[in-house]
Amino acid sequence: MTHDNTTLSRLPTYFISHGGGPWPWMKKEMGATYDQLAASLADMPRQIGRTPSAILMVSAHWESPVFTVQGNPRPPMIYDYGGFPAHTYEVRYASPGSPELAQRVQSLIAAAGLPAQIDPERGYDHGMFSPMAAMYPNADVPVVQLSLRRGLDPAEHLALGRAIAPLRDENVLIVGSGLSYHNLRNFGPQAHGVSKAFGDWLDQTSVNATPQERVQRLQDWASAPSARVAHPREEHLIPLMVAVGAAEGEAGERVYHEDAFMGGLVVSSYRFGAV
């Protein structure tokens, strides 16, 4: 996957809040709840100004003992959610995989001294197919998923981002898919204060801090205001580390924000690097 760098500028990276379960297929049930998130995701192709040759998606919903790349050329669906309407267990997002990109990703990670393997069977989870249904509804861009590594070490996932950064010059869009606030036991209006406290820290870190400060703050994220209320377990935050690591010295911008999502949550998405 090589491209003439004189004609293609480097792609930015993203950390997106991916919403709950199979929400794009629940318009009837959810009404306008996801309209703003859907609009922000649908705007990403316009922001980057061209169609990437592939997307590398780091989803909160896949953890592995070592960094693992999806090598399946035709990934099936993984319905990794419960309690949703029956029809949402039949949805399809039929984008192709890319074994070629999977090999490239594995070699980049291994070259950085990190453990990496390819899973030839793995399917798409909802951290991938729900946002992708809004970003590229025709499922016409190849997508490869990349796992988190168990232990969820922030520094290690920043290093993962640095390792895969060359893909940005190869017309591959790197997307970290999580949620800026993820505490399913503290949702709705009563969570506004804590989600805002953590969200303000996240804005400061992602948008206003120097690149050096940003890395330090992310490594120490658990000491942020309301950190462990916002993320009792951090798998939905760690994809941010990958997006930042892959655009380490570059500016961040908030590209999606709601102040009362699901009745009271402060949620955001960020882009790193110029467009």
Side-chain angles (χ1 to χ4, degrees):
M1 289 203 150
T2 55
H3 293 270
D4 182 352
N5 293 342
T6 60
T7 58
L8 287 180
S9 57
R10 170 175 293 177
L11 285 172
T13 70
Y14 285 85
F15 170 72
I16 58 171
S17 288
H18 65 221
W23 62 266
W25 292 272
M26 295 174 59
K27 181 69 179 164
K28 189 174 73 176
E29 293 88 351
M30 304 298 290
T33 302
Y34 280 99
D35 284 1
Q36 281 182 252
L37 178 60
S40 76
L41 294 166
D43 192 52
M44 286 167 61
R46 181 200 63 80
Q47 291 175 28
I48 64 177
R50 65 177 187 267
T51 303
S53 54
I55 293 172
L56 183 66
M57 179 77 77
V58 182
S59 165
H61 293 277
W62 186 15
E63 296 173 45
S64 194
V66 302
F67 292 121
T68 304
V69 196
Q70 179 186 51
N72 197 326
R74 281 273 170 221
M77 302 289 278
I78 300 174
Y79 303 115
D80 55 342
Y81 41 76
F84 289 93
H87 71 87
T88 64
Y89 298 88
E90 298 171 8
V91 301
R92 297 283 303 151
Y93 187 84
S95 61
S98 174
E100 178 193 7
L101 176 58
Q103 292 281 354
R104 173 76 174 131
V105 173
Q106 183 199 24
S107 66
L108 285 169
I109 299 171
L114 298 168
Q117 65 186 19
I118 292 176
D119 182 337
E121 304 296 325
R122 170 80 188 188
Y124 290 136
D125 61 57
H126 83 265
M128 175 276 185
F129 60 74
S130 289
M132 285 298 301
M135 290 163 56
Y136 291 98
N138 295 328
D140 49 0
V141 178
V143 184
V144 169
Q145 284 196 224
L146 169 60
S147 80
L148 303 175
R149 189 178 184 196
R150 279 184 203 149
L152 303 176
D153 179 1
E156 193 171 54
H157 288 81
L158 285 157
L160 173 66
R162 294 181 195 110
I164 61 175
L167 298 171
R168 298 174 56 206
D169 293 316
E170 299 167 24
N171 204 32
V172 175
L173 182 67
I174 298 170
V175 179
S177 175
L179 279 168
S180 63
Y181 177 91
H182 192 256
N183 183 341
L184 301 182
R185 292 182 177 172
N186 191 24
F187 235 59
Q190 77 275 9
H192 179 78
V194 289
S195 66
K196 180 174 176 8
F198 186 74
D200 287 349
W201 177 89
L202 206 55
D203 280 351
Q204 178 65 30
T205 300
S206 300
V207 179
N208 298 324
T210 68
Q212 294 82 0
E213 288 170 341
R214 185 167 66 195
V215 165
Q216 194 57 54
R217 287 167 70 100
L218 289 176
Q219 290 182 162
D220 300 334
W221 77 269
S223 61
S226 299
R228 280 296 178 192
V229 183
H231 292 278
R233 192 172 183 278
E234 57 266 41
E235 80 286 343
H236 275 73
L237 182 67
I238 292 295
L240 170 65
M241 316 302 173
V242 186
V244 167
E248 187 167 20
E250 297 169 60
E253 185 171 332
R254 194 175 74 185
V255 292
Y256 159 73
H257 181 73
E258 290 192 61
D259 215 58
F261 179 68
M262 290 287 189
L265 299 180
V266 173
V267 290
S268 300
S269 299
Y270 302 91
R271 184 184 68 228
F272 302 96
V275 290

